[in-house]
Amino acid sequence: MTFSQYRVYFVLFFLVISSWFLADIFEIKQVTKVKVVDHSPDYFSTGYYKKEMDIRGLIKSELTAEKMIHYGDDETTHLEKPVMTLYNEDIPPWVIRSETAILEADGDHLQLVGKAVISRAGMKKLRPFKMNTSDLRVKLSTSYAETNQWAEIIDDRNRTEGIGVEIVFIDPVRLKFLSRVKGRYVFN
């Protein structure tokens, strides 16, 4: 065999190797990509319970919920059937319930979604308190709550209602209706 004959085999060998290499580079490979949903939970709990103490070590507030789901993308905590209890020294605690709630990333702003009920037991010279409203925003650090929705305060003899309310749960307790206030009162 002469060199020119080997050259034909060499060119053929080079073409085979080159085509195999190019086929490997341009081959459509099956790649499975896992898409992470933007707003997906990173952890959850059933029977959620959180307690906060004041600087003296006395209980300041408690938050319980049937279910808690935390979302890592916006650091919010979603609660089902939450119950927020705010404590004061000389009066019974305030209890705030709602259907669902969202605790913001700062841990201080709680948005109660849907129907909300605020109550406090009575004592000697303090009448029991109950308020029905919805979509209540609570700032936990200042024990302040507000809503722009309809609200009513009821007790055994009196009823007051209006649109929008602001309330401070610490002593001195302050409550202010914002508009369309109506009341029915029974005096002894």
Side-chain angles (χ1 to χ4, degrees):
M1 279 179 121
T2 64
F3 179 75
S4 62
Q5 290 173 332
Y6 283 115
R7 193 167 54 171
V8 171
Y9 290 119
F10 179 75
V11 169
L12 285 174
F13 177 75
F14 178 77
L15 288 174
V16 168
I17 295 296
S18 299
S19 62
W20 174 73
F21 181 73
L22 290 172
D24 189 50
I25 290 175
F26 294 111
E27 178 182 346
I28 299 174
K29 297 183 179 185
Q30 294 287 359
V31 177
T32 305
K33 291 184 178 180
V34 176
K35 182 176 178 175
V36 176
V37 180
D38 290 340
H39 192 65
S40 60
D42 55 356
Y43 60 87
F44 72 95
S45 172
T46 55
Y48 178 73
Y49 178 74
K50 174 187 171 189
K51 182 186 289 190
E52 183 180 359
M53 311 299 266
D54 66 12
I55 58 173
R56 296 173 296 162
L58 300 174
I59 187 165
K60 181 179 178 181
S61 66
E62 290 178 302
L63 177 60
T64 62
E66 285 185 10
K67 187 175 183 181
M68 178 275 294
I69 302 172
H70 183 268
Y71 292 89
D73 62 334
D74 61 0
E75 296 296 323
T76 58
T77 303
H78 296 240
L79 305 165
E80 290 181 14
K81 299 203 190 263
V83 178
M84 182 80 208
T85 306
L86 303 170
Y87 291 92
N88 288 311
E89 269 188 53
D90 299 326
I91 61 173
W94 292 92
V95 180
I96 307 169
R97 301 173 188 275
S98 74
E99 298 165 4
T100 60
I102 300 171
L103 184 61
E104 297 296 327
D106 63 5
D108 191 33
H109 293 86
L110 182 66
Q111 173 70 45
L112 301 169
V113 182
K115 181 181 176 185
V117 177
I118 302 171
S119 62
R120 184 193 65 209
M123 52 188 275
K124 291 180 185 177
K125 292 187 177 185
L126 186 66
R127 299 176 83 152
F129 179 93
K130 182 177 179 186
M131 176 189 284
N132 295 314
T133 189
S134 60
D135 300 334
L136 191 66
R137 296 173 301 279
V138 180
K139 185 167 182 185
L140 301 173
S141 62
T142 58
S143 297
Y144 171 81
E146 66 181 7
T147 184
N148 295 329
Q149 303 300 316
W150 172 87
E152 73 172 345
I153 298 173
I154 52 177
D155 63 28
D156 55 347
R157 299 181 317 201
N158 304 317
R159 182 174 184 271
T160 306
E161 68 177 85
I163 304 296
V165 70
E166 296 174 349
I167 185 168
V168 177
F169 298 102
I170 54 177
D171 200 26
V173 174
R174 295 175 302 279
L175 184 130
K176 177 174 133 183
F177 278 98
L178 302 178
S179 66
R180 298 187 196 166
V181 181
K182 295 188 268 184
R184 179 184 58 84
Y185 305 100
V186 177
F187 296 100
N188 282 346

